[in-house]
Amino acid sequence: MAASIYPDYPPQTTPEQHDFLLSNIKDWSILNGLAVRPSTSFVSADVNRSGSLAVTAPVTLFPSLFPTSCFVEARAIQIAYSELYATIARDRDWLRKIVEELIEVDDFIAKLWNVHLAVEKEGYVQDLSLGLFRSDYMVHKEPEDPNAKSTIKQVEFNTIASSFGGLSAKVSGLHSYLHSISAYPHTSASLIDASSLPANPSITSLAHGLATAYGAYGPSKSSPKLPLCILFVVQSAETNIFDQLALSTHLQTHHGIPTFHLPFSVILAHTKISPDSHRILTYRPPHSPRTSYEVTLCYFRAGYSPAEKSNKNSQRQTLRTSPASSPPPPPLPNTFPAYDQLSQPSILSTPRPQAKQPSASPRIRNKAKTMFSNPSAKAAGTISTVPRFRLSSIP
């Protein structure tokens, strides 16, 4: 399909043009934090003993082409999708039906549901929650119709640990920079220009969402009052740290919000919940044990895969960071059986409690692709733990 839309892309480059592109990509990326920590499969632990090395994040030399109409449509329906998933996350009866198909065959989903039931039993003390979602699409064109227009089909909707909001903004900046220094061959001028490289505001918009939730928490509820913070719950030895730092640094420098990164594996060692009815979550940084912070918000960049739920403390770790969360744990609406249900027009048309609108926007009804073709496949469905993303500028 792509070849029929863009038959001459990417353009050919001379050896000199290729070297110029690579040189500027490597230098600009390290200068601007478009980087990752190398995995041990790429750089051995013997070479990187201090863990201080960083390498350029994998990027395309040229911005990936994407039809303007599809880009505009994806942006236009994002609010409707976000409202839909925020609504089903609070529809416990609907989620329970989905989960009941899985808990007998999927221990990971069963553990998450048990966390939800434990929090529900204790009683909610916070009815607010924040979702930072990422919707992934592929361009679709009916092969039987030569006059068919390109459309988008959703392949995944990420509700937890949605990564690359930090680096994708920098990729957009990288491609704009390469265009500004005439790094792209003149043969691509009809496709790559300033108007086809829109800025990506994901860092500022995601940080704004986190800052808004931080403000909605209100003043400290501790006695005596404690300084407030946001806690990034991350994986140990995180290779994608710069993607996360793009957000936490923005929160610190532009919103003045103390932000800490805490590995999921050591949550129990550095946090505690107050025994009173407020169930306040506090964090004591290991580098500054005399100072305690009241946690207003836990931003999960970990705790979403079965491997992280395999140890005996995993349920306690998840409970520790969910003492007051009203909706079920974020991955539950993210299972493939849930995707399958949401691709059905009858499900999308059903009014739901707490929904702002009586049903999902008609514009999203033809965007999802059916995930399953038979009931037995539904029982084997598990959460998607492999993020599908495109680090690109979109014309």
Side-chain angles (χ1 to χ4, degrees):
M1 181 206 69
S4 65
I5 301 176
Y6 307 114
D8 299 318
Y9 195 86
Q12 296 295 319
T13 58
T14 65
E16 292 80 9
Q17 290 171 330
H18 184 78
D19 291 345
F20 185 71
L21 266 175
L22 283 180
S23 175
N24 277 279
I25 286 174
K26 290 184 289 186
D27 293 345
W28 191 97
S29 296
I30 295 300
L31 174 65
N32 291 275
L34 179 51
V36 294
R37 296 288 188 199
S39 66
T40 54
S41 62
F42 186 69
V43 177
S44 70
D46 290 337
V47 174
N48 188 23
R49 292 182 180 180
S50 65
S52 61
L53 294 183
V55 297
T56 300
V59 296
T60 57
L61 298 186
F62 294 87
S64 299
L65 299 177
F66 199 90
T68 300
S69 60
C70 293
F71 175 62
V72 171
E73 179 69 3
R75 293 193 62 176
I77 63 176
Q78 184 58 37
I79 292 178
Y81 261 125
S82 296
E83 289 183 346
L84 172 64
Y85 274 83
T87 300
I88 66 169
R90 294 174 179 268
D91 191 341
R92 296 176 185 83
D93 292 337
W94 185 81
L95 277 178
R96 184 176 288 108
K97 294 177 182 178
I98 298 293
V99 171
E100 285 174 351
E101 297 182 3
L102 299 173
I103 56 178
E104 297 299 326
V105 295
D106 193 320
D107 184 59
F108 175 59
I109 296 299
K111 288 179 179 179
L112 287 174
W113 187 248
N114 287 335
V115 168
H116 164 60
L117 294 179
V119 174
E120 187 176 50
K121 183 178 180 181
E122 291 181 358
Y124 301 125
V125 295
Q126 174 61 272
D127 61 356
L128 299 177
S129 60
L130 172 70
L132 299 181
F133 302 147
R134 193 191 76 214
S135 189
D136 299 346
Y137 300 96
M138 295 186 72
V139 177
H140 175 73
K141 188 174 183 180
E142 292 295 339
E144 297 82 8
D145 184 358
N147 298 317
K149 295 182 178 180
S150 297
T151 61
I152 53 174
K153 294 294 183 180
Q154 187 187 73
V155 295
E156 187 174 15
F157 192 90
N158 295 267
T159 61
I160 185 172
S162 302
S163 57
F164 295 101
L167 295 193
S168 61
K170 296 179 183 292
V171 172
S172 179
L174 168 66
H175 288 146
S176 293
Y177 171 75
L178 293 173
H179 170 67
S180 72
I181 62 172
S182 302
Y184 294 132
H186 67 88
T187 54
S188 65
S190 62
L191 291 172
I192 305 175
D193 57 30
S195 64
S196 70
L197 296 170
N200 185 337
S202 55
I203 293 175
T204 55
S205 59
L206 291 173
H208 175 73
L210 289 163
T212 301
Y214 173 90
Y217 180 87
S220 171
K221 299 166 180 59
S222 302
S223 181
K225 293 187 180 301
L226 296 175
L228 306 179
C229 76
I230 291 178
L231 200 60
F232 279 40
V233 180
V234 302
Q235 294 177 326
S236 301
E238 176 62 70
T239 59
N240 199 26
I241 182 62
F242 300 104
D243 180 58
Q244 299 168 6
L245 284 173
L247 301 182
S248 59
T249 302
H250 191 92
L251 284 168
Q252 185 75 53
T253 57
H254 293 271
H255 297 278
I257 299 175
T259 306
F260 300 98
H261 294 236
L262 180 65
F264 181 74
S265 59
V266 296
I267 282 174
L268 298 179
H270 302 295
T271 64
K272 67 178 183 179
I273 296 177
S274 66
D276 57 29
S277 60
H278 293 297
R279 299 213 304 280
I280 299 165
L281 179 64
T282 56
Y283 169 63
R284 182 169 294 180
H287 67 274
S288 182
R290 293 186 178 183
T291 305
S292 291
Y293 289 84
E294 184 173 335
V295 180
T296 64
L297 176 69
C298 285
Y299 172 38
F300 286 92
R301 293 295 293 261
Y304 59 88
S305 70
E308 293 173 297
K309 304 292 185 180
S310 60
N311 69 73
K312 62 181 181 180
N313 290 323
S314 62
Q315 185 158 329
R316 291 178 61 209
Q317 291 165 344
T318 307
L319 273 170
R320 178 65 58 84
T321 52
S322 307
S325 178
S326 171
L332 290 177
N334 215 60
T335 55
F336 281 140
Y339 287 148
D340 185 47
Q341 287 290 307
L342 291 176
S343 69
Q344 308 303 319
S346 59
I347 299 296
L348 289 175
S349 300
T350 303
R352 300 190 179 281
Q354 303 181 33
K356 293 182 178 180
Q357 299 175 350
S359 63
S361 169
R363 299 179 71 176
I364 74 174
R365 291 177 186 169
N366 66 340
K367 299 297 186 294
K369 297 295 287 183
T370 301
M371 295 288 180
F372 301 95
S373 59
N374 60 75
S376 62
K378 291 183 181 181
T382 58
I383 183 175
S384 169
T385 59
V386 182
R388 304 179 186 91
F389 59 92
R390 180 189 297 273
L391 291 181
S392 65
S393 302
I394 304 177

